[in-house]
C-alpha cells in the first residue's frame, strides 16, 4: 500500500514556450501566415519568405528585452519584416501567428502535471518571457469540476506585465515574493539554460528539460519525479 505523498517543494515555476507548449518555428510561422492569407504555402513559397527574413537583421526582435513591452515587441518585429522586404499584409499575418498563444499546442502531459501538483498542495507559477496574456489559453482548458487550468496557477510572472525578462533575477524574485516562499522551497522548470537557469542564481533548484518539439513528447513526469518522488505509479 502506497503511503501519503510528501512534496519536496512547495511550489513549481513553469516556463511557457518550449516547456509547456511547442515553441513556434520560423517555417511554421511562414506556413501559418501564408495559409491564413490564402496564399501559396508550398515548401518553395515558405522558403522564399524564410530567405527574406534571414536577409535582414533580426537581433532586436530576438532580444528578450522586447518581451518586456508589448508595443516594443510589435515594433521590433514589424521593423524586421519591413527590412526583409515582406509586404505589409504578410507582415501582419506573421506577427499575428507569432502572438496567438492559442496556436502553440500544449504538451499532452501538462494536464496531468497540473492536476498532480494541485492534488498534492503544490502551488504553481508561470514564468515566461512573453508579450501577450497567457491566462486565456489556460482558462480554455477545463479540469472537469467547474475549474480550468488557470485556476491551478497561483502566480503569473509575465515579462510584458512586469517590465523585466529572463535572465533578470527580478522576474524570479517577483514569483517568489508573490508565493511568499523562500528559494529553497521552489523548483523552476524550463528549457533554456541561460534564461531559465538564471533562477539558480537566486538559490532556486532548476530543472532544464529538452525543448518540446511535439505535443506527444513525454517529459513532465520528470518534474513529478523531483517534486513527488513517492507518488503512486501506474
Amino acid at each position: 500500500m502506497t503511503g501519503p505523498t510528501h512534496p519536496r517543494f512547495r511550489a513549481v515555476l513553469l516556463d511557457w514556450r518550449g516547456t509547456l507548449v511547442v515553441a513556434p518555428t520560423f517555417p511554421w510561422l511562414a506556413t501559418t501566415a501564408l495559409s491564413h492569407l490564402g496564399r501559396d504555402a508550398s515548401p518553395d513559397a515558405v522558403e522564399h519568405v524564410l530567405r527574406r527574413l534571414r536577409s535582414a537583421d533580426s537581433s532586436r526582435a530576438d532580444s528578450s528585452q522586447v518581451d518586456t513591452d508589448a508595443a516594443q515587441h510589435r515594433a521590433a518585429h514589424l521593423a524586421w519584416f519591413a527590412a526583409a522586404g515582406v509586404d505589409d499584409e504578410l507582415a501582419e499575418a506573421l506577427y499575428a501567428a507569432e502572438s496567438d498563444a492559442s496556436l502553440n499546442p500544449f504538451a499532452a502531459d501538462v494536464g496531468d502535471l497540473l492536476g498532480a501538483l494541485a492534488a498534492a498542495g503544490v502551488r504553481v507559477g508561470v514564468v515566461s518571457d512573453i508579450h501577450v496574456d497567457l491566462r486565456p489559453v489556460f482558462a480554455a482548458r477545463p479540469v472537469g469540476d467547474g475549474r480550468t487550468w488557470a485556476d491551478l496557477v497561483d502566480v503569473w510572472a509575465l515579462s510584458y506585465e512586469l517590465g523585466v525578462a529572463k535572465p533578470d533575477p527580478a522576474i524570479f524574485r517577483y514569483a517568489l515574493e508573490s508565493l511568499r516562499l523562500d528559494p529553497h522551497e521552489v523548483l523552476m522548470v524550463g528549457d533554456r539554460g541561460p534564461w531559465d537557469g538564471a533562477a539558480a542564481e537566486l538559490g532556486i533548484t532548476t530543472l532544464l528539460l529538452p525543448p518540446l518539439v511535439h505535443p506527444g513528447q513525454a517529459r513532465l513526469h520528470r518534474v513529478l519525479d523531483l517534486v513527488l518522488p513517492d507518488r503512486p505509479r501506474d
Side-chain angles (χ1 to χ4, degrees), residues 26 52-64 66 76-77 79-81 83-84:
F26 290 126
R52 284 187 173 275
L53 295 178
R54 288 193 291 263
S55 72
D57 181 12
S58 64
S59 57
R60 184 181 170 213
D62 291 338
S63 170
S64 292
V66 298
H77 279 76
W80 171 33
F81 300 154

Side-chain angles (χ1 to χ4, degrees), residues 16-93:
W16 163 249
R17 283 179 171 170
T19 301
L20 298 183
V21 300
V22 178
T25 64
F26 290 126
W28 176 86
L29 284 172
T31 301
T32 301
L34 290 168
S35 298
H36 176 76
L37 295 174
R39 298 188 187 183
D40 179 12
S42 66
D44 286 345
V46 169
E47 180 57 32
H48 176 72
V49 173
L50 296 180
R51 282 199 299 270
R52 284 187 173 275
L53 295 178
R54 288 193 291 263
S55 72
D57 181 12
S58 64
S59 57
R60 184 181 170 213
D62 291 338
S63 170
S64 292
Q65 188 58 35
V66 298
D67 287 315
T68 63
D69 182 271
Q72 183 181 142
H73 187 280
R74 175 180 171 82
H77 279 76
L78 293 183
W80 171 33
F81 300 154
V86 174
D87 66 84
D88 291 346
E89 184 181 51
L90 180 55
E92 289 290 347

Side-chain angles (χ1 to χ4, degrees), residues 152-178:
L152 305 183
V153 177
D154 300 280
V155 171
W156 302 89
L158 309 181
S159 60
Y160 85 101
E161 291 183 338
L162 301 178
V164 292
K166 307 167 194 172
D168 191 324
I171 195 168
F172 303 109
R173 193 174 293 114
Y174 171 84
L176 290 175
E177 292 172 352
S178 298

Side-chain angles (χ1 to χ4, degrees), residues 135 166 201:
R135 295 173 185 84
K166 307 167 194 172
E201 298 179 15

Side-chain angles (χ1 to χ4, degrees), residues 166-228:
K166 307 167 194 172
D168 191 324
I171 195 168
F172 303 109
R173 193 174 293 114
Y174 171 84
L176 290 175
E177 292 172 352
S178 298
L179 291 166
R180 294 184 173 85
L181 295 176
D182 293 326
H184 72 274
E185 299 177 289
V186 177
L187 174 69
M188 173 67 200
V189 182
D191 69 303
R192 300 184 301 167
W195 291 269
D196 301 310
E201 298 179 15
L202 291 181
I204 301 173
T205 300
T206 303
L207 172 64
L208 294 176
L209 297 173
L212 183 69
V213 297
H214 186 275
Q217 189 179 357
R219 300 142 54 255
L220 298 178
H221 63 278
R222 299 175 187 177
V223 180
L224 296 178
D225 289 343
L226 286 176
V227 180
L228 306 171

